[in-house]
Amino acid sequence: MSAPVGEGLNEAPNLFTPNRYQGLNVLVTGAAQGIGQAVAQRVAYEGGNVFLVDRAELVHEFATELGTATGVKVGSATADLETWEGAEAMVAAAKEKFGNIDIAINNVGGTIWAKPFEHYAPEEIEKEIYRSLFTTLWSVRAELPALIDNGGGTIVNVSSVATGGINRIPYAAAKGGVNALTGALAKEAAHHNVRVVATAPGGTLAPERRVARGPGPEGEQAKAWYQEIVDQTIDSSLMKRYGTLEEQAAPIVFLASPEASYINGSVLPVAGGDQG
C-alpha cells in the first residue's frame, strides 16, 4: 500500500539547515512524490517558499499539507512538462503566486520501459526522450527569462548516472542531454548571474508510486530485464546499495542554495560512488 501524500511532513528532515532558504521562492517540478517531494519538503523546512508542479492532481494535496506543516508560502499547479505550453504555463503560475522565481529545480523524468535497445519500438524511444529530456529542456527554456528578469538565480537539473547503465538506452541518451544542457547553459547564462548545475542520482529507494511512470514489467522476460538493471545499479555502486530519498534531496538542496554560490556547470553523481 502506498503512503499518504503528506506522511512525515510534521517531522523535519534529518540534518536540515534552518532558514537557509529564508525569503527565497523555489519552483520544484515532479513534486508530488519521490525525490521531488523530498526536495520540496526540505526546502520548506529550511524557510523557502515553494511552488510545486506535477502532472498528477495529488500535487495540490501535498502542497496544502506542506504549507500547514511548515508555515511557508506554498503554491501548486498541474502541467504537462513534455510540452512547451505546459512549461510556459507553469512559470506563469509560479510568478503569479510569488511575483518572482529565485530557484528552479527540475526533477521530472524516469525510465518508462526497461529492456535491451533492440526491443524498443520507435514510438517508445520518442516517449522516453520526451519524458526525460524535453521535460527539462522546456522547463529550463521557460524558467530562464524569469530568472534573468529577477537579476539572476539558480537552476538545478536532476539527471542520472544511468547514462552508463543497461536496458534503458533511450533514458540514458535523454539524461546525457540533460548533462550537456547543464554544462552549456552554465557558460551561456553566467553573465546573467544565473547558475546551472545538476545532480545525477543512482538507484533510489522510495515508496510505491501513486502515479506510475509506465506499465511496469510484465512477463518473465520483462521482469528479468528489469532485475538486470537492479543488479547492475547495486554492483556499480561502491556502497553496494540503493540510496534514500533524503540522500538524494540533500545534495540537490545544497546545490540550489546560496551556500553553493561558486559551483557552476557541474553534474554531481549521487550514487554511492557510481560515476555513471
Side-chain angles (χ1 to χ4, degrees):
M1 181 178 297
S2 59
V5 173
E7 183 176 359
L9 289 181
N10 292 321
E11 297 180 4
N14 293 328
L15 304 176
F16 77 108
T17 305
N19 302 321
R20 178 163 54 173
Y21 277 83
Q22 196 73 40
L24 296 175
N25 299 324
V26 184
L27 170 66
V28 183
T29 74
Q33 52 192 336
I35 293 174
Q37 186 182 81
V39 166
Q41 180 181 0
R42 181 176 285 268
V43 169
Y45 270 98
E46 297 194 4
N49 302 318
V50 286
F51 193 84
L52 312 180
V53 182
D54 203 281
R55 63 176 179 168
E57 293 289 338
L58 59 89
V59 72
H60 302 304
E61 180 184 346
F62 172 50
T64 298
E65 295 182 5
L66 185 61
T68 300
T70 62
V72 302
K73 294 179 181 178
V74 181
S76 60
T78 55
D80 179 3
L81 298 180
E82 294 181 19
T83 70
W84 163 246
E85 293 78 12
E88 191 176 35
M90 167 187 73
V91 171
K95 290 179 67 176
E96 182 178 0
K97 176 69 176 181
F98 293 143
N100 68 287
I101 301 169
D102 299 297
I103 297 162
I105 300 172
N106 299 308
N107 175 66
V108 176
T111 304
I112 305 173
W113 293 279
K115 51 189 171 181
F117 191 43
E118 65 268 24
H119 292 281
Y120 275 87
E123 60 270 19
E124 291 174 338
I125 294 172
E126 289 183 350
K127 288 180 180 178
E128 294 277 9
I129 298 299
Y130 270 90
R131 176 68 53 81
S132 292
L133 175 57
F134 272 95
T135 49
T136 300
L137 198 65
W138 292 138
S139 293
V140 170
R141 174 59 183 84
E143 295 154 357
L144 186 60
L147 294 175
I148 293 172
D149 289 345
N150 193 40
T154 300
I155 294 171
V156 181
N157 298 321
V158 179
S159 181
S160 175
V161 295
T163 50
I166 63 170
N167 291 357
R168 42 189 169 166
I169 297 301
Y171 175 68
K175 289 303 189 179
V178 171
N179 293 347
L181 162 66
T182 298
L185 186 60
K187 294 177 181 178
E188 186 174 302
H191 72 283
H192 291 298
N193 195 34
V194 174
R195 289 192 306 120
V196 188
V197 292
T199 68
T204 305
L205 296 171
E208 181 182 350
R209 294 180 63 86
R210 295 180 69 183
V211 178
R213 288 197 184 106
E218 297 179 358
E220 293 306 310
Q221 181 61 82
K223 291 178 181 178
W225 285 333
Y226 185 81
Q227 187 61 46
E228 287 175 1
I229 289 179
V230 174
D231 294 343
Q232 184 252 306
T233 298
I234 294 173
D235 185 63
S236 296
S237 168
L238 301 182
M239 300 176 76
K240 304 305 178 187
R241 66 172 176 85
Y242 272 37
T244 68
L245 290 176
E246 282 204 346
E247 286 175 323
Q248 297 299 342
I252 292 170
V253 173
F254 164 69
L255 284 176
S257 78
E259 289 185 307
S261 58
Y262 198 55
I263 301 174
N264 202 3
S266 299
V267 179
L268 174 66
V270 186
D274 183 1
Q275 299 299 303

